[in-house]
mmCIF file of all heavy atoms in Angstrom:
data_model
loop_
_atom_site.group_PDB
_atom_site.id
_atom_site.type_symbol
_atom_site.label_atom_id
_atom_site.label_comp_id
_atom_site.label_asym_id
_atom_site.label_seq_id
_atom_site.Cartn_x
_atom_site.Cartn_y
_atom_site.Cartn_z
ATOM 1 N N GLY Y 148 -12.956 -23.632 11.728
ATOM 2 C CA GLY Y 148 -13.160 -24.450 10.522
ATOM 3 C C GLY Y 148 -14.064 -25.623 10.817
ATOM 4 O O GLY Y 148 -13.851 -26.738 10.345
ATOM 5 N N SER Y 150 -17.354 -26.231 10.215
ATOM 6 C CA SER Y 150 -18.595 -26.552 9.497
ATOM 7 C C SER Y 150 -18.512 -27.827 8.672
ATOM 8 O O SER Y 150 -19.530 -28.398 8.305
ATOM 9 C CB SER Y 150 -18.998 -25.380 8.602
ATOM 10 O OG SER Y 150 -18.115 -25.288 7.511
ATOM 11 N N ARG Y 151 -17.288 -28.269 8.345
ATOM 12 C CA ARG Y 151 -17.189 -29.478 7.507
ATOM 13 C C ARG Y 151 -15.856 -30.179 7.761
ATOM 14 O O ARG Y 151 -15.005 -29.672 8.498
ATOM 15 C CB ARG Y 151 -17.358 -29.136 6.032
ATOM 16 C CG ARG Y 151 -16.274 -28.246 5.481
ATOM 17 C CD ARG Y 151 -16.672 -27.734 4.092
ATOM 18 N NE ARG Y 151 -15.684 -26.821 3.543
ATOM 19 C CZ ARG Y 151 -14.753 -27.189 2.671
ATOM 20 N NH1 ARG Y 151 -14.696 -28.432 2.241
ATOM 21 N NH2 ARG Y 151 -13.885 -26.310 2.211
ATOM 22 N N GLY Y 152 -15.695 -31.326 7.129
ATOM 23 C CA GLY Y 152 -14.423 -32.045 7.163
ATOM 24 C C GLY Y 152 -13.990 -32.441 8.569
ATOM 25 O O GLY Y 152 -14.804 -32.837 9.413
ATOM 26 N N ILE Y 153 -12.698 -32.322 8.798
ATOM 27 C CA ILE Y 153 -12.110 -32.758 10.071
ATOM 28 C C ILE Y 153 -12.653 -31.917 11.232
ATOM 29 O O ILE Y 153 -12.925 -32.444 12.314
ATOM 30 C CB ILE Y 153 -10.562 -32.685 9.977
ATOM 31 C CG1 ILE Y 153 -10.052 -33.717 8.957
ATOM 32 C CG2 ILE Y 153 -9.910 -32.892 11.335
ATOM 33 C CD1 ILE Y 153 -8.580 -33.586 8.592
ATOM 34 N N ASP Y 172 -16.615 -20.623 11.750
ATOM 35 C CA ASP Y 172 -16.224 -20.800 10.353
ATOM 36 C C ASP Y 172 -16.442 -19.496 9.600
ATOM 37 O O ASP Y 172 -17.147 -18.609 10.090
ATOM 38 C CB ASP Y 172 -16.996 -21.958 9.687
ATOM 39 C CG ASP Y 172 -16.095 -22.718 8.706
ATOM 40 O OD1 ASP Y 172 -15.467 -22.073 7.844
ATOM 41 O OD2 ASP Y 172 -16.006 -23.950 8.818
ATOM 42 N N VAL Y 173 -15.847 -19.397 8.405
ATOM 43 C CA VAL Y 173 -15.975 -18.158 7.627
ATOM 44 C C VAL Y 173 -17.408 -17.904 7.176
ATOM 45 O O VAL Y 173 -17.807 -16.758 6.998
ATOM 46 C CB VAL Y 173 -15.046 -18.104 6.391
ATOM 47 C CG1 VAL Y 173 -13.749 -17.431 6.720
ATOM 48 C CG2 VAL Y 173 -14.815 -19.473 5.784
ATOM 49 N N GLY Y 197 -16.818 -16.246 11.611
ATOM 50 C CA GLY Y 197 -15.577 -15.536 11.916
ATOM 51 C C GLY Y 197 -14.437 -16.044 11.063
ATOM 52 O O GLY Y 197 -14.385 -17.216 10.709
ATOM 53 N N ASN Y 198 -13.538 -15.104 10.744
ATOM 54 C CA ASN Y 198 -12.373 -15.431 9.929
ATOM 55 C C ASN Y 198 -11.140 -15.422 10.846
ATOM 56 O O ASN Y 198 -10.857 -14.405 11.486
ATOM 57 C CB ASN Y 198 -12.242 -14.367 8.832
ATOM 58 C CG ASN Y 198 -11.150 -14.691 7.843
ATOM 59 O OD1 ASN Y 198 -10.133 -15.294 8.184
ATOM 60 N ND2 ASN Y 198 -11.358 -14.287 6.611
ATOM 61 N N VAL Y 199 -10.433 -16.539 10.903
ATOM 62 C CA VAL Y 199 -9.310 -16.643 11.847
ATOM 63 C C VAL Y 199 -8.161 -15.692 11.514
ATOM 64 O O VAL Y 199 -7.262 -15.507 12.342
ATOM 65 C CB VAL Y 199 -8.762 -18.092 11.952
ATOM 66 C CG1 VAL Y 199 -9.826 -19.037 12.490
ATOM 67 C CG2 VAL Y 199 -8.197 -18.585 10.622
ATOM 68 N N ASN Y 225 -8.155 -25.585 13.869
ATOM 69 C CA ASN Y 225 -8.291 -26.551 12.775
ATOM 70 C C ASN Y 225 -8.387 -25.889 11.405
ATOM 71 O O ASN Y 225 -8.030 -26.511 10.407
ATOM 72 C CB ASN Y 225 -9.535 -27.421 13.037
ATOM 73 C CG ASN Y 225 -9.970 -28.188 11.814
ATOM 74 O OD1 ASN Y 225 -9.390 -29.216 11.474
ATOM 75 N ND2 ASN Y 225 -10.972 -27.669 11.100
ATOM 76 N N ALA Y 226 -8.869 -24.630 11.343
ATOM 77 C CA ALA Y 226 -9.073 -23.983 10.034
ATOM 78 C C ALA Y 226 -7.766 -24.005 9.246
ATOM 79 O O ALA Y 226 -6.706 -23.667 9.777
ATOM 80 C CB ALA Y 226 -9.545 -22.545 10.234
ATOM 81 N N GLY Y 227 -7.850 -24.426 8.003
ATOM 82 C CA GLY Y 227 -6.637 -24.480 7.187
ATOM 83 C C GLY Y 227 -6.992 -24.517 5.713
ATOM 84 O O GLY Y 227 -8.092 -24.945 5.336
ATOM 85 N N ILE Y 228 -6.053 -24.057 4.885
ATOM 86 C CA ILE Y 228 -6.271 -24.065 3.433
ATOM 87 C C ILE Y 228 -5.001 -24.560 2.730
ATOM 88 O O ILE Y 228 -3.925 -24.587 3.325
ATOM 89 C CB ILE Y 228 -6.634 -22.658 2.881
ATOM 90 C CG1 ILE Y 228 -5.503 -21.643 3.161
ATOM 91 C CG2 ILE Y 228 -7.949 -22.169 3.456
ATOM 92 C CD1 ILE Y 228 -5.650 -20.332 2.382
ATOM 93 N N ILE Y 275 -4.042 -28.282 14.662
ATOM 94 C CA ILE Y 275 -4.054 -29.341 13.646
ATOM 95 C C ILE Y 275 -2.970 -29.040 12.605
ATOM 96 O O ILE Y 275 -3.109 -28.122 11.783
ATOM 97 C CB ILE Y 275 -5.442 -29.486 12.987
ATOM 98 C CG1 ILE Y 275 -6.538 -29.669 14.050
ATOM 99 C CG2 ILE Y 275 -5.426 -30.675 12.009
ATOM 100 C CD1 ILE Y 275 -6.357 -30.875 14.983
ATOM 101 N N ALA Y 276 -1.901 -29.798 12.687
ATOM 102 C CA ALA Y 276 -0.754 -29.611 11.780
ATOM 103 C C ALA Y 276 -0.911 -30.561 10.592
ATOM 104 O O ALA Y 276 -2.024 -30.768 10.095
ATOM 105 C CB ALA Y 276 0.535 -29.851 12.556
ATOM 106 N N SER Y 277 0.186 -31.188 10.156
ATOM 107 C CA SER Y 277 0.101 -32.157 9.051
ATOM 108 C C SER Y 277 1.408 -32.943 8.965
ATOM 109 O O SER Y 277 2.482 -32.401 9.262
ATOM 110 C CB SER Y 277 -0.123 -31.447 7.720
ATOM 111 O OG SER Y 277 0.016 -32.374 6.651
ATOM 112 N N TYR Y 290 2.300 -24.654 2.277
ATOM 113 C CA TYR Y 290 1.526 -25.453 3.247
ATOM 114 C C TYR Y 290 2.467 -26.132 4.259
ATOM 115 O O TYR Y 290 2.225 -26.096 5.466
ATOM 116 C CB TYR Y 290 0.716 -26.496 2.474
ATOM 117 C CG TYR Y 290 -0.227 -27.332 3.310
ATOM 118 C CD1 TYR Y 290 -1.425 -26.798 3.797
ATOM 119 C CD2 TYR Y 290 0.068 -28.664 3.606
ATOM 120 C CE1 TYR Y 290 -2.291 -27.579 4.558
ATOM 121 C CE2 TYR Y 290 -0.793 -29.444 4.357
ATOM 122 C CZ TYR Y 290 -1.977 -28.899 4.830
ATOM 123 O OH TYR Y 290 -2.834 -29.673 5.591
ATOM 124 N N LYS Y 294 2.651 -25.528 8.338
ATOM 125 C CA LYS Y 294 2.399 -26.593 9.324
ATOM 126 C C LYS Y 294 3.637 -26.836 10.188
ATOM 127 O O LYS Y 294 3.516 -27.148 11.379
ATOM 128 C CB LYS Y 294 1.960 -27.876 8.613
ATOM 129 C CG LYS Y 294 0.603 -27.738 7.892
ATOM 130 C CD LYS Y 294 -0.531 -27.394 8.851
ATOM 131 C CE LYS Y 294 -1.892 -27.440 8.198
ATOM 132 N NZ LYS Y 294 -2.991 -27.138 9.108
ATOM 133 N N PRO Y 320 -2.045 -34.969 11.223
ATOM 134 C CA PRO Y 320 -2.703 -36.016 10.432
ATOM 135 C C PRO Y 320 -1.851 -36.406 9.222
ATOM 136 O O PRO Y 320 -1.128 -35.581 8.669
ATOM 137 C CB PRO Y 320 -4.001 -35.352 9.946
ATOM 138 C CG PRO Y 320 -4.159 -34.108 10.750
ATOM 139 C CD PRO Y 320 -2.777 -33.694 11.147
ATOM 140 N N GLY Y 321 -1.975 -37.673 8.838
ATOM 141 C CA GLY Y 321 -1.404 -38.114 7.566
ATOM 142 C C GLY Y 321 -2.408 -37.830 6.463
ATOM 143 O O GLY Y 321 -3.092 -36.809 6.484
ATOM 144 N N ILE Y 323 -5.822 -38.082 4.939
ATOM 145 C CA ILE Y 323 -7.140 -38.313 5.520
ATOM 146 C C ILE Y 323 -8.183 -38.289 4.410
ATOM 147 O O ILE Y 323 -8.109 -37.433 3.509
ATOM 148 C CB ILE Y 323 -7.460 -37.212 6.567
ATOM 149 C CG1 ILE Y 323 -6.360 -37.145 7.644
ATOM 150 C CG2 ILE Y 323 -8.836 -37.412 7.179
ATOM 151 C CD1 ILE Y 323 -6.116 -38.442 8.398
ATOM 152 N N SER Y 325 -11.033 -37.027 2.676
ATOM 153 C CA SER Y 325 -11.656 -35.696 2.779
ATOM 154 C C SER Y 325 -12.011 -35.213 1.383
ATOM 155 O O SER Y 325 -11.652 -35.862 0.391
ATOM 156 C CB SER Y 325 -10.668 -34.712 3.420
ATOM 157 O OG SER Y 325 -9.561 -34.525 2.547
HETATM 158 P P1 LIG G 236 -11.601 -28.557 4.737
HETATM 159 O O1 LIG G 236 -12.571 -29.671 4.464
HETATM 160 O O2 LIG G 236 -11.159 -27.684 3.611
HETATM 161 O O3 LIG G 236 -12.200 -27.663 5.928
HETATM 162 C C1 LIG G 236 -11.503 -26.536 6.395
HETATM 163 C C2 LIG G 236 -12.499 -25.624 7.058
HETATM 164 O O4 LIG G 236 -11.804 -24.439 7.482
HETATM 165 C C3 LIG G 236 -13.595 -25.164 6.088
HETATM 166 O O5 LIG G 236 -14.844 -25.190 6.736
HETATM 167 C C4 LIG G 236 -13.164 -23.763 5.740
HETATM 168 O O6 LIG G 236 -14.228 -22.907 5.376
HETATM 169 C C5 LIG G 236 -12.551 -23.322 7.054
HETATM 170 N N1 LIG G 236 -11.705 -22.138 6.874
HETATM 171 C C6 LIG G 236 -10.851 -21.879 5.859
HETATM 172 N N2 LIG G 236 -10.288 -20.666 6.030
HETATM 173 C C7 LIG G 236 -10.800 -20.158 7.176
HETATM 174 C C8 LIG G 236 -10.634 -18.932 7.861
HETATM 175 N N3 LIG G 236 -9.818 -17.973 7.398
HETATM 176 N N4 LIG G 236 -11.333 -18.721 9.018
HETATM 177 C C9 LIG G 236 -12.182 -19.676 9.495
HETATM 178 N N5 LIG G 236 -12.396 -20.850 8.879
HETATM 179 C C10 LIG G 236 -11.711 -21.098 7.726
HETATM 180 O O7 LIG G 236 -10.246 -29.129 5.395
HETATM 181 P P2 LIG G 236 -9.974 -30.501 6.174
HETATM 182 O O8 LIG G 236 -9.494 -31.494 5.193
HETATM 183 O O9 LIG G 236 -11.130 -30.826 7.054
HETATM 184 O O10 LIG G 236 -8.722 -30.049 7.068
HETATM 185 C C11 LIG G 236 -8.845 -29.522 8.372
HETATM 186 C C12 LIG G 236 -7.448 -29.288 8.941
HETATM 187 O O11 LIG G 236 -6.706 -30.508 8.888
HETATM 188 C C13 LIG G 236 -6.649 -28.258 8.150
HETATM 189 O O12 LIG G 236 -5.860 -27.497 9.033
HETATM 190 C C14 LIG G 236 -5.771 -29.131 7.266
HETATM 191 O O13 LIG G 236 -4.593 -28.470 6.891
HETATM 192 C C15 LIG G 236 -5.478 -30.288 8.191
HETATM 193 N N6 LIG G 236 -5.099 -31.527 7.494
HETATM 194 C C16 LIG G 236 -5.923 -32.133 6.596
HETATM 195 C C17 LIG G 236 -5.497 -33.308 5.962
HETATM 196 C C18 LIG G 236 -6.368 -34.039 4.966
HETATM 197 O O14 LIG G 236 -5.926 -35.023 4.391
HETATM 198 N N7 LIG G 236 -7.608 -33.603 4.752
HETATM 199 C C19 LIG G 236 -4.247 -33.835 6.247
HETATM 200 C C20 LIG G 236 -3.426 -33.182 7.153
HETATM 201 C C21 LIG G 236 -3.867 -32.041 7.781
HETATM 202 P P3 LIG G 236 -14.836 -22.971 3.857
HETATM 203 O O15 LIG G 236 -15.755 -24.145 3.837
HETATM 204 O O16 LIG G 236 -15.546 -21.703 3.698
HETATM 205 O O17 LIG G 236 -13.675 -23.120 2.940
#
Side-chain angles (χ1 to χ4, degrees):
S150 71
R151 64 191 177 98
I153 294 170
D172 217 309
V173 267
N198 186 328
V199 297
N225 165 79
I228 60 167
I275 307 302
S277 171
Y290 185 75
K294 295 299 188 179
I323 304 302
S325 66

